[in-house]
Amino acid sequence: MGKRLICQVADVPENGLKECETGDGLKLVVANAGGEFYGFQATCPHQEVPLCEGLFDGATLTCHMHLWQWDVRTGEARGIAEAPLQLFPLAREGDALYLAAAGGALDVGELFNGLAGRTLEALASLARPEAHAKGATLYRPGDPADDFFVLDAGRIEFLIGRGERSAPSGFMLKKGEVFGWAALLDGYPARIASARCLEDSRILRINGKRALAVLEQDSQAGFVVMRRLAALVARYLATSGVK
Amino acid sequence: MRIQVNARNRGYDFDAAPGEHILYAGLRAGIDLPYECATGTCGTCKAKLVSGRVRDEWPQAPGRKYVKPAAGEFLMCQCVAEEPLTVEVSKFVYPMEGGACVPQPASATLRSPHALTHDVMAFTLELDEPRDFDAGQFALLAPPGVPGYRAYSMCSHERGSRRFDFLVKRKPDGGFSQWLFAGNRDGAQLEVFGPLGKATFDPSLARNLLLIAGGSGIAGMRSILTRAARERYFERHRGYVFFGVRTLRDAFWLRELSEHAGANVEVTVALSEDDVPAEAKSQWPRLRFERGLVHEVAKRAMAGKYAELRAYVAGPPPAVDAAIRVLLLEAKLSTDNIRYDKYS
C-alpha cells in the first residue's frame, strides 16, 4: 500500500484535534500537541463516542462521555481509563501528514508500547506469529508456561478448571493485549487455565525467558515492562471501587 | 433463572427471579455490573448474548442506539431472561466491595408530597424495611400503573433508615412526574430498587468539597451536605455549593442551604435568566447570589481554590457537561475527583 495522506498540517489547530479519513476509509483523530502531531483511533475504546469531541489540553485527551483519559503521545491510559488508545504513527512531509507504517501488535500493546527501538526490535525478533482457527485451544492447565502471547486479532477466552467443570474466567479482544504472562514470572512453570480461540485469531508467541534476557540488557525498559505487568496482574485481583 | 456473565477478567453466575431485569438481578447478587442510569438511557449496561433468549421490555429505550441487536447485543437494565442465559460483558467486572450498600428491591409508601416551587415537588418514601445508602446515591422508583423505573437521588441521609426523601421536577414527558403531579399521592404504594450510583461522598475523603447543581440536581447535594454536617466535616475542610436555577422563583431549600452556609461553607445561588432581585440578599443574608449559568458562576468564584478538592456535579446533561469541561480544563482536577450524575 502506498503512503496514505491524512490531512494538511494547517487543518489541525494548535493544541486541538481533527478527525480525518484516509482515501481507503480508515478514520483517525490527529492531535496537535504543541506542534507535534499524533494520530489515534477515532472512537473511544470504551463506548462508540467520537474522540474528536473530546477535551484536549495539548497533552492529555479526555473523552467527554465518561472521562477516560490518555496521553496522546504514547496512547497510555490515565486515571480511570481501562484501555489504551491505538496509535497510528504519522510522518510529516512539508505541509502534509501521512500515515507511517502501521504499528504491530507488540508496539501498540499494553506491555511494550513506547520502548526504545532497539529493545522493541529485539523483542519483535523473538515473536513468532501464529494463526489459530475458532475453537482451537492454545494451552490447558498443567501445560508448561514457557511462552506468553500478544493478541494481534481475534478473541481468546480463558477457562479455569478441567473438562465439564470448567468455568469462564475472562477473555481478551484488543490488539496488543498480553496473556499467558506466567511465562514472565518466576515460580509459575505451568498453566493454571486454558486458553481457547472464540474467533479465528492471530497471535504473537514469545518465549518468556528469552524476553526477560532482552529486558535484562535494557533495565530501563525492563522496569517499565515490570511496572505495567504489575498493574495488569493487579487488575485481575482488584475489587470494585479500588481499580 | 440461571444467568452466566462472562466479563473481561472472570465469569459470574447468579439467579434472576421470573420477570426480573438482568442488571438488577446481578447487582442484587453483589456483582458490580456496569451501569450508569440503570433506566435505559445511557447504554452502559450493554451485553452480548452467547446462549439463551432474552425479552426486551422496552424496545424503544433511548439507550438502544448504543446496541447492535443483530450482533446479539442488548441492554441488561431492560431485558429479562426467558431461559438460562450466558452473556458476555466486554468490561472488567468486580464483586462489590465489602461494606458496599448492595441494592435490593423494596416496597414503599409515598408520604407527605408537597410542592417546593411551581414545578418541583418533594416527598418521603417509607420503605418496608430499613436500608443503608451512601450520600449521593439514587434509587429507581416505579409507581402503580406506570411502566418502568425512573431514577431519583435521595436528598436525605441517615444510616439504617426506613425514610428516604426525594425531589421531583415536573417534566412534560416524564411518566413519574406526570403521575406525581396529577393528584394527591399520599399513601400510594411504589416499587423501589436501590441504592445505586457511584457519585458518593464519604467523610474519609478528607478533601474540600465543590458541589455544582443545576435545578433538581441539588437533591443529591443536599444528601452530601447532610452527611458532611453530621460528621462535622466542615470544621476541617471547606465546602463550596453552587445551585443553578433560572430565576429566584425556581429556587427552593434556601432556608436549608442557609443553615449549611458558614465560615467554611460558601453557598451561591446562580440565576441564569434573571438579575438578582434586591430583596434576595436581605432575605437570605448567608447566601450569595450571582447572575449567570451555574458553571460560569462557579468558574469565576473558584479560581485558585481547586487544591485538595473533589467536585460533585448533577443536573441536566448540558449543565453537567459544561461544568465538567471547567473542572478538567480550568481546574485541572484529576478524573477521580470529578463525580457526576446526568439526569436525562
Side-chain angles (χ1 to χ4, degrees):
Chain A
M1 191 178 296
K3 68 180 178 185
R4 295 191 273 175
L5 177 67
I6 301 295
C7 64
Q8 299 298 312
V9 166
D11 293 342
V12 193
E14 196 169 328
N15 294 328
L17 304 170
K18 179 169 172 61
E19 186 180 85
C20 305
E21 193 170 344
T22 61
D24 54 343
L26 173 73
K27 267 193 181 173
L28 68 159
V29 172
V30 177
N32 178 344
E36 298 288 327
F37 295 87
Y38 300 92
F40 47 85
Q41 64 194 85
T43 54
C44 182
H46 183 204
Q47 293 183 354
E48 277 144 40
V49 178
L51 286 173
C52 59
E53 296 171 4
L55 308 170
F56 181 56
D57 67 0
T60 301
L61 171 71
T62 308
C63 176
H64 68 89
M65 192 65 93
H66 298 103
L67 309 188
W68 283 26
Q69 290 185 316
W70 307 269
D71 184 333
V72 297
R73 294 162 302 182
T74 61
E76 212 158 338
R78 291 253 183 98
I80 57 175
E82 293 176 10
L85 276 187
Q86 184 179 355
L87 296 188
F88 296 98
L90 303 180
R92 180 172 177 168
E93 286 181 29
D95 292 333
L97 295 170
Y98 294 88
L99 194 63
L106 217 50
D107 44 323
V108 303
E110 54 192 358
L111 222 42
F112 303 113
N113 81 67
L115 297 190
R118 213 157 42 103
T119 301
L120 203 56
E121 278 166 28
L123 289 167
S125 72
L126 298 177
R128 302 205 312 269
E130 294 180 0
H132 294 274
K134 177 179 175 173
T137 296
L138 299 175
Y139 53 77
R140 290 186 174 81
D143 286 355
D146 296 334
D147 301 331
F148 67 96
F149 305 91
V150 183
L151 185 63
D152 186 17
R155 186 177 279 245
I156 312 291
E157 176 186 48
F158 304 94
L159 298 149
I160 45 173
R162 290 169 197 260
E164 288 292 290
R165 294 204 312 279
S166 66
S169 131
F171 56 94
M172 300 269 163
L173 73 171
K174 295 201 167 88
K175 178 174 177 170
E177 282 195 294
V178 172
F179 60 97
W181 32 254
L184 290 168
L185 305 177
D186 292 331
Y188 292 88
R191 302 293 179 197
I192 56 166
S194 60
R196 190 174 66 179
C197 299
L198 285 179
E199 301 169 359
D200 292 350
S201 300
R202 290 198 313 270
I203 56 168
L204 299 175
R205 177 190 287 270
I206 302 176
N207 182 272
K209 290 217 164 53
R210 294 178 67 188
L212 289 171
V214 168
L215 295 171
E216 297 277 356
Q217 300 302 310
D218 179 354
S219 52
Q220 199 181 345
F223 178 67
V224 169
V225 169
M226 286 301 138
R227 276 188 67 168
R228 290 176 182 170
L229 182 61
L232 205 127
V233 175
R235 280 183 83 183
Y236 288 85
L237 305 175
T239 61
S240 190
V242 290
K243 281 168 264 182
Chain B
M1 203 72 84
R2 206 71 189 149
I3 316 271
Q4 163 85 34
V5 171
N6 297 339
R8 293 290 311 278
N9 51 325
R10 56 167 281 194
Y12 295 89
D13 57 71
F14 55 88
D15 275 313
E20 187 176 25
H21 292 193
I22 295 161
L23 175 68
Y24 309 150
L27 294 174
R28 179 168 67 78
I31 301 159
D32 202 1
L33 294 173
Y35 71 91
E36 270 172 48
C37 74
T39 51
T41 301
C42 72
T44 305
C45 68
K46 178 170 86 174
K48 187 176 164 185
L49 199 60
V50 176
S51 68
R53 204 152 44 88
V54 295
R55 183 176 73 245
D56 192 335
E57 303 224 302
W58 190 22
Q60 298 80 34
R64 283 263 297 200
K65 66 172 176 278
Y66 299 107
V67 310
K68 300 183 197 81
E73 293 178 356
F74 65 95
L75 297 177
M76 289 190 284
C77 71
Q78 298 304 326
C79 289
V80 170
E82 295 210 299
E83 44 190 69
L85 295 182
T86 299
V87 308
E88 187 180 285
V89 172
S90 279
K91 294 197 167 103
F92 280 70
V93 175
Y94 300 98
M96 290 180 198
E97 300 172 274
C101 303
V102 177
Q104 299 290 332
S107 296
T109 309
L110 194 150
R111 294 292 181 206
S112 53
H114 54 285
L116 294 178
T117 71
H118 58 102
D119 65 354
V120 174
M121 200 178 288
F123 61 88
T124 298
L125 286 187
E126 254 173 38
L127 271 60
D128 50 3
E129 53 186 291
R131 195 63 63 77
D132 272 342
F133 64 92
D134 292 319
Q137 287 197 290
F138 64 89
L140 308 182
L141 312 184
V146 180
Y149 279 123
R150 303 297 191 285
Y152 292 102
S153 288
M154 280 71 87
C155 42
S156 49
H157 188 268
E158 200 179 337
R159 285 273 169 220
S161 176
R162 286 180 56 207
R163 296 172 62 83
F164 287 22
D165 294 342
F166 291 92
L167 186 68
V168 171
K169 183 180 162 70
R170 183 174 206 163
K171 286 184 187 146
D173 53 351
F176 188 95
S177 71
Q178 289 298 325
W179 171 84
L180 183 68
F181 280 79
N184 180 5
R185 303 304 187 183
D186 196 22
Q189 294 294 308
L190 277 73
E191 294 305 313
V192 181
F193 184 77
L196 297 170
K198 299 192 170 79
T200 58
F201 163 74
D202 185 89
S204 62
L205 176 68
R207 298 174 77 90
N208 297 327
L209 297 185
L210 166 59
L211 311 180
I212 303 178
S216 56
I218 195 73
M221 305 305 179
R222 188 153 172 228
S223 176
I224 291 173
L225 285 170
T226 302
R227 174 105 166 96
R230 191 181 307 117
E231 302 276 339
R232 303 178 171 220
Y233 190 78
F234 296 120
E235 289 180 6
R236 283 158 292 132
H237 307 285
R238 298 188 68 85
Y240 308 93
V241 183
F242 294 88
F243 178 24
V245 288
R246 287 192 298 270
T247 70
L248 200 57
R249 176 173 168 265
D250 300 293
F252 50 91
W253 284 348
L254 298 186
R255 184 175 55 76
E256 289 82 351
L257 290 170
S258 287
E259 286 165 7
H260 285 290
N264 274 340
V265 181
E266 292 172 15
V267 181
T268 306
V269 180
L271 305 179
S272 62
E273 290 178 9
D274 207 358
D275 288 330
V276 178
E279 69 273 18
K281 285 177 182 167
S282 54
Q283 196 179 353
W284 306 106
R286 293 160 72 90
L287 303 180
R288 299 160 184 237
F289 291 87
E290 300 281 350
R291 164 102 202 229
L293 294 167
V294 66
H295 69 278
E296 286 168 358
V297 169
K299 178 178 158 181
R300 285 199 297 272
M302 289 302 295
K305 299 178 186 165
Y306 290 114
E308 289 298 307
L309 179 134
R310 171 171 291 177
Y312 293 84
V313 187
V320 172
D321 288 339
I324 287 173
R325 182 172 281 271
V326 169
L327 295 171
L328 280 173
L329 297 183
E330 307 279 331
K332 304 272 182 200
L333 289 187
S334 66
T335 46
D336 60 334
N337 282 313
I338 304 174
R339 300 296 171 98
Y340 60 97
D341 279 317
K342 290 186 204 183
Y343 300 102
S344 32

